[in-house]
Amino acid sequence: MERLFHSVRITINDKLYVKDPESSNLGKRIVEESILMINDIGFESFTFRKLGQKIGSNESSIYRYFENKHKLLLYLASWYWGWLEYQLVFATNSIPDPNTKLERAIEIMTQATEIDLAFTHINEILLNKIVINEYSKSYLTKEVDQENKEGYFVIYKRLVNRMRLMINEVNADYPYSASLASTIIEGALHQYFLMDHFSSLTSCNKTTTPTEYFKHLAFNTLNIKNNG
Amino acid sequence: MERLFHSVRITINDKLYVKDPESSNLGKRIVEESILMINDIGFESFTFRKLGQKIGSNESSIYRYFENKHKLLLYLASWYWGWLEYQLVFATNSIPDPNTKLERAIEIMTQATEIDLAFTHINEILLNKIVINEYSKSYLTKEVDQENKEGYFVIYKRLVNRMRLMINEVNADYPYSASLASTIIEGALHQYFLMDHFSSLTSCNKTTTPTEYFKHLAFNTLNIKNNG
DNA sequence: TAGAAAATGATAGTATTACTTTTATATTTG
DNA sequence: CAAATATAAAAGTAATACTATCATTTTCTA
């Protein structure tokens, strides 16, 4: 797959950075190592000072790329959702049957992440873990409405909307398509978190995947015989 | 309702506080005003110093009740889930029919919060808002496994488990009862958040409630004709 | 009801965070 | 090669999240 998409770039709202991190080597290292570090020590303990030390650069240089770590998190999350959106569109585009299409969409949105060799400086598996553990913190803030207006969440919203449309195609009379779409996308993150930390609160494990659960949930609530 | 329960107390893991806030007037004021303040300025901006100023007490005195604001949040959340659990058990206890029982349970877990006059120093409506906006932050941490071992989340886990059991009673063959239970409880918080900040991502609004959505979701996925 | 014990308040201090500012040095580009 | 740009180094600031010490007030109890 990677060969086809060497030239694909995820486009991110330019208000999320001061200087585009894709435009320089240092910028890419900031992104690359911040993913490792946030994953390692958690977003709360992560600081630009520590990141600077790790990449042998200066704190003040990192501030020339990102205003603060909150924006860096929004950037990383946007990249992740943009990347997922790309896969979603690519995988479902050519499927004419709405049921099969939705089924494939749910798979894309709820499956365990795999590495994409097209982006060498981004570890998608770790980024997925960051999204599971930290994404909520990016919008559970007092500034969410302002930041939403600024367009910091457009990719995520577009992605949920794509899911919603596919749900509508399966059952146009279903009155909760937006809620079901957001439940699947946000719920998948939550189920993965529970698998790691609160196993008694989920039915998912190595043999029963979140994908299976959400497929069953979606097709039954849409009154369609479950494909999965 | 309040008359019956004047003597009811929500029991909270005593590792969550240094000194029981229910044991003194200052303790109750800390709880009461922290709810108002966290709601007002958000958990990130909330500090014990500011709280002390607001209640005319000293920062160091607040530290004699709670080790830090993280533990205070865990305390408030535990109180909230304990209070909901109480309502859940009370409301469903005497219902023999599993379908009606689950329906009532979903209502309790997903309805808009109402004030409970039995607890004068706690504003349940604001506390519900805090849980919607801040609860995830209490477990999305690097310390979650340790804190889970210490029992900081027992009430929440018990509550999800009660839901799971009620789902099992409706359909013993349904293989995802734990996931459905956690999806309803966590998903309800999320849908309320979306209603406030990302209305395009939810089908819920003033006329279509999260309760309606989750009832439909649960009973359809359990292959039971929707009661709602 | 005095005296002890406990609770609370006032003040100061510390390490860290989340930046900003300034100046110096290295790198790129025209 | 000069000028522009990028990066580094160092220092400074206000706020946070505490801890420690001691004084004062309140409460319990003999």
Side-chain angles (χ1 to χ4, degrees):
Chain A
M1 196 173 181
E2 70 276 9
R3 215 171 286 178
L4 272 166
F5 305 120
H6 266 157
S7 57
V8 168
R9 260 199 66 170
I10 312 292
T11 306
I12 286 160
N13 188 332
D14 59 17
K15 285 178 195 155
L16 285 177
Y17 47 77
V18 183
K19 180 181 173 176
D20 185 358
E22 294 285 329
S23 71
S24 78
N25 201 266
L26 178 61
K28 281 179 198 158
R29 292 214 64 209
I30 289 171
V31 169
E32 178 175 17
E33 294 290 331
S34 69
I35 291 171
L36 305 181
M37 201 168 193
I38 292 171
N39 205 262
D40 202 32
I41 65 176
F43 187 67
E44 275 68 43
S45 301
F46 168 83
T47 71
F48 281 1
R49 178 169 293 242
K50 288 177 191 167
L51 178 62
Q53 276 156 7
K54 196 182 177 190
I55 67 180
S57 179
N58 198 274
E59 195 185 1
S60 60
S61 303
I62 300 169
Y63 277 104
R64 291 209 182 79
Y65 284 86
F66 293 101
E67 262 180 64
N68 49 51
K69 68 175 181 174
H70 172 67
K71 292 237 173 138
L72 170 59
L73 178 61
L74 286 167
Y75 177 92
L76 294 176
S78 288
W79 195 97
Y80 177 79
W81 295 120
W83 178 72
L84 253 197
E85 184 191 25
Y86 189 83
Q87 293 186 256
L88 180 74
V89 172
F90 184 79
T92 59
N93 201 28
S94 60
I95 303 175
D97 174 58
N99 280 14
T100 316
K101 190 175 198 155
L102 179 60
E103 195 187 349
R104 189 78 193 96
I106 295 175
E107 284 168 6
I108 299 282
M109 302 307 297
T110 65
Q111 264 168 8
T113 303
E114 279 167 44
I115 279 289
D116 184 339
L117 296 171
F119 305 96
T120 51
H121 66 299
I122 294 190
N123 183 325
E124 291 83 9
I125 292 175
L126 294 187
L127 187 52
N128 167 256
K129 286 190 183 179
I130 289 177
V131 170
I132 290 170
N133 291 301
E134 322 286 0
Y135 184 54
S136 307
K137 298 170 193 167
S138 79
Y139 58 79
L140 295 177
T141 69
K142 281 283 164 185
E143 297 78 32
V144 62
D145 294 333
Q146 183 54 38
E147 297 189 346
N148 187 19
K149 268 187 204 156
E150 306 270 346
Y152 297 178
F153 304 99
V154 271
I155 300 180
Y156 182 71
K157 285 159 70 176
R158 211 165 56 209
L159 188 62
V160 175
N161 195 48
R162 286 185 193 278
M163 282 291 288
R164 183 179 68 79
L165 295 173
M166 292 189 215
I167 291 166
N168 284 344
E169 278 176 53
V170 166
N171 182 345
D173 296 328
Y174 179 67
Y176 313 108
S177 54
S179 286
L180 183 60
S182 56
T183 296
I184 291 169
I185 292 174
E186 157 67 26
L189 299 181
H190 191 57
Q191 292 296 314
Y192 276 107
F193 182 83
L194 296 179
M195 284 168 73
D196 272 357
H197 302 288
F198 294 95
S199 57
S200 72
L201 304 189
T202 178
S203 311
C204 303
N205 49 50
K206 281 189 178 171
T207 54
T208 306
T209 62
T211 302
E212 202 184 314
Y213 162 60
F214 282 108
K215 275 199 215 173
H216 183 280
L217 187 76
F219 285 104
N220 274 72
T221 205
L222 294 170
N223 292 310
I224 307 289
K225 199 177 235 157
N226 182 23
N227 290 29
Chain B
M1 200 174 180
E2 71 276 8
R3 214 172 288 180
L4 272 167
F5 304 122
H6 267 155
S7 57
V8 166
R9 262 198 67 170
I10 312 292
T11 305
I12 287 160
N13 188 332
D14 59 16
K15 285 177 195 156
L16 285 176
Y17 47 79
V18 183
K19 180 183 172 172
D20 185 358
E22 294 285 330
S23 72
S24 76
N25 201 266
L26 178 61
K28 280 178 198 156
R29 292 214 66 207
I30 290 172
V31 169
E32 178 175 16
E33 295 290 331
S34 70
I35 291 171
L36 306 180
M37 200 167 196
I38 292 172
N39 205 262
D40 203 33
I41 65 176
F43 187 66
E44 276 68 40
S45 301
F46 169 82
T47 69
F48 282 1
R49 179 170 293 243
K50 289 177 191 168
L51 179 62
Q53 275 156 8
K54 196 181 177 191
I55 66 179
S57 180
N58 199 271
E59 195 185 2
S60 58
S61 303
I62 299 169
Y63 277 104
R64 291 204 184 85
Y65 284 87
F66 294 101
E67 262 180 66
N68 49 53
K69 68 175 182 174
H70 172 66
K71 291 238 173 137
L72 170 59
L73 178 60
L74 286 167
Y75 176 91
L76 294 177
S78 289
W79 195 97
Y80 176 78
W81 295 120
W83 178 72
L84 253 198
E85 184 191 26
Y86 189 83
Q87 293 184 256
L88 179 74
V89 172
F90 184 77
T92 60
N93 201 27
S94 60
I95 303 174
D97 175 57
N99 281 15
T100 316
K101 190 173 196 156
L102 178 60
E103 196 187 349
R104 189 78 193 97
I106 295 175
E107 284 169 5
I108 299 281
M109 301 310 296
T110 64
Q111 263 169 9
T113 303
E114 280 167 43
I115 279 289
D116 185 338
L117 298 171
F119 303 97
T120 50
H121 66 299
I122 296 190
N123 183 325
E124 291 83 10
I125 292 174
L126 294 187
L127 187 51
N128 167 256
K129 287 189 183 176
I130 290 176
V131 170
I132 290 170
N133 291 300
E134 322 287 1
Y135 184 53
S136 307
K137 298 170 193 167
S138 78
Y139 59 78
L140 294 176
T141 69
K142 280 284 166 187
E143 296 77 33
V144 62
D145 294 333
Q146 182 56 38
E147 296 189 345
N148 186 19
K149 268 187 204 158
E150 306 270 346
Y152 296 177
F153 304 99
V154 270
I155 300 180
Y156 182 71
K157 285 159 71 175
R158 212 164 55 207
L159 188 62
V160 175
N161 195 48
R162 286 184 193 279
M163 283 292 288
R164 183 179 69 78
L165 294 173
M166 291 188 216
I167 291 165
N168 284 345
E169 278 175 55
V170 166
N171 182 345
D173 296 327
Y174 179 68
Y176 313 108
S177 54
S179 286
L180 183 59
S182 55
T183 296
I184 292 169
I185 292 174
E186 158 67 26
L189 298 180
H190 191 57
Q191 292 297 314
Y192 276 106
F193 182 83
L194 296 178
M195 285 167 72
D196 272 358
H197 303 289
F198 294 93
S199 57
S200 73
L201 305 189
T202 178
S203 311
C204 303
N205 50 50
K206 279 188 179 174
T207 54
T208 305
T209 61
T211 301
E212 203 184 315
Y213 162 59
F214 283 109
K215 273 198 214 175
H216 184 280
L217 187 76
F219 284 104
N220 274 72
T221 207
L222 294 170
N223 292 311
I224 307 288
K225 199 178 236 153
N226 183 20
N227 291 27

